[in-house]
Amino acid sequence: MGSSIVNLLGPVEIRNLADKLDLRPTKRLGQNFVIDGGTVRRIVRVAELSPDDVVIEVGPGLGSLTLALLPEVRRVVAVEIDPALAAQLPLTVAERAPSLAGRLTVVRADAMRVRPEELGPEPTALVANLPYNVAVPVVLHLLEHLPSLRRGLVMVQAEVADRMAAGPGSKVYGVPSVKAAWYADVRRAGPVGRTVFWPAPNVDSGLVAMTRREPPSTTASREEVFAVIDGAFAQRRKTLRAALASWAGTAAAAETALRAAGIDPSERGEQLRVEDFARIAENRP
């Protein structure tokens, strides 16, 4: 593609930009900036974007990934909460990829609260290096509020990647796994080392790929199904009969709902697929 016209950011440029902005990457915002051009090119490749795509990038930081995305897609909508970073990003793009500057929209907002009307054209893909402390809620929020999103590729802490992509029966299968499965097919899409970031985090990272699919067909609303999921995993070691007692009113009522849904009341939440939780929700007493 046309990536030859873009001058990607390396370790020296990243540190110079950080100095210019008097930026000390903060743990609170989970800021780790990607300093390796090979990694951002790999992310763009694995994301399988098309020239028509409108990408929403959350937390673009100093613009490493933004610069790699711009040649490949119609538009990049970068959502950045930090005012200094939001102000700098268009300048960086104008300097390093002047012919592509028109493809960038910067929205200064919290991705946890951003609404479709703030974003301009409807995003078709999410590609982001997400701060691990907000990765799951950000992904779920965007899948819920941006039905135009067809797929996503996010870089997150390895442990979060495992949880998001886990299937029933896995030790790390839980609320993030089931809720993500409501919206999309989710899979691990490769590991990412620590040295590609500045500052280098003390944990490994991983890529998670998502492909939107229809939610399970059910008469229950998403909120009703999610309430069952939350209840089932609130106390992991309990049987569903016990875990869903407060949701149903009593353990006996929970058992009735479970049997009506065709679920063994002595099962645990980690054995169930999202479709099972939907059936339980339909049978709420």
Side-chain angles (χ1 to χ4, degrees):
M1 304 279 287
S3 45
S4 54
I5 53 171
V6 172
N7 192 354
L8 294 175
L9 296 170
V12 175
E13 294 86 352
I14 292 280
R15 287 194 176 79
N16 289 346
L17 267 175
D19 285 344
K20 171 188 165 180
L21 298 175
D22 196 25
L23 190 71
R24 302 286 163 267
T26 71
K27 238 190 160 54
R28 185 178 63 78
L29 291 175
Q31 288 170 324
N32 296 94
F33 301 113
V34 184
I35 55 174
D36 175 60
T39 298
V40 292
R41 281 191 289 268
R42 177 180 152 214
I43 290 171
V44 172
R45 192 170 66 243
V46 175
E48 297 182 343
L49 299 163
S50 79
D52 293 334
D53 272 319
V54 175
V55 170
I56 179 170
E57 184 191 0
V58 172
L62 292 166
S64 315
L65 179 55
T66 317
L67 286 165
L69 285 166
L70 284 167
E72 310 296 333
V73 297
R74 180 155 62 93
R75 179 162 288 280
V76 175
V77 181
V79 179
E80 177 55 66
I81 195 170
D82 183 312
L85 292 173
Q88 176 61 40
L89 190 58
L91 308 178
T92 301
V93 169
E95 183 185 317
R96 297 190 156 260
S99 64
L100 302 175
R103 295 184 184 184
L104 175 70
T105 303
V106 179
V107 178
R108 210 195 121 193
D110 179 352
M112 288 290 298
R113 298 190 172 73
V114 76
R115 290 280 175 264
E117 55 273 15
E118 298 171 70
L119 299 176
E122 294 197 322
T124 55
L126 163 67
V127 184
N129 165 27
L130 290 175
Y132 60 83
N133 47 351
V134 296
V136 169
V138 162
V139 166
L140 293 175
H141 173 82
L142 295 176
L143 286 169
E144 178 188 345
H145 290 282
L146 301 175
S148 58
L149 279 182
R150 302 320 304 160
R151 61 188 179 286
L153 184 75
V154 294
M155 181 158 61
V156 294
Q157 192 178 329
E159 184 194 332
V160 175
D162 288 338
R163 280 210 300 269
M164 288 176 73
S170 154
K171 275 192 180 57
V172 293
Y173 182 72
V175 172
S177 335
V178 193
K179 288 185 178 177
W182 172 268
Y183 299 105
D185 288 314
V186 184
R187 59 182 174 82
R188 281 291 304 252
V192 178
R194 305 174 186 198
T195 55
V196 305
F197 297 100
W198 173 73
N202 53 6
V203 291
D204 293 317
S205 296
L207 298 177
V208 176
M210 290 165 278
T211 308
R212 171 89 69 171
R213 61 186 175 94
E214 286 301 307
S217 66
T218 173
T219 55
S221 69
R222 184 188 58 78
E223 290 80 3
E224 287 168 335
V225 177
F226 279 19
V228 180
I229 296 166
D230 288 332
F233 288 99
Q235 299 140 311
R236 276 194 86 94
R237 282 169 294 285
K238 290 198 167 179
T239 65
L240 285 165
R241 182 184 192 275
L244 292 177
S246 57
W247 165 82
T250 65
E255 175 161 351
T256 304
L258 286 159
R259 290 202 187 283
I263 309 285
D264 179 345
S266 67
E267 287 270 26
R268 287 178 170 72
E270 45 262 44
Q271 305 307 126
L272 302 193
R273 302 177 359 262
V274 65
E275 293 81 3
D276 300 323
F277 288 107
R279 279 207 316 287
I280 296 168
E282 289 176 13
N283 286 283
R284 183 172 191 168

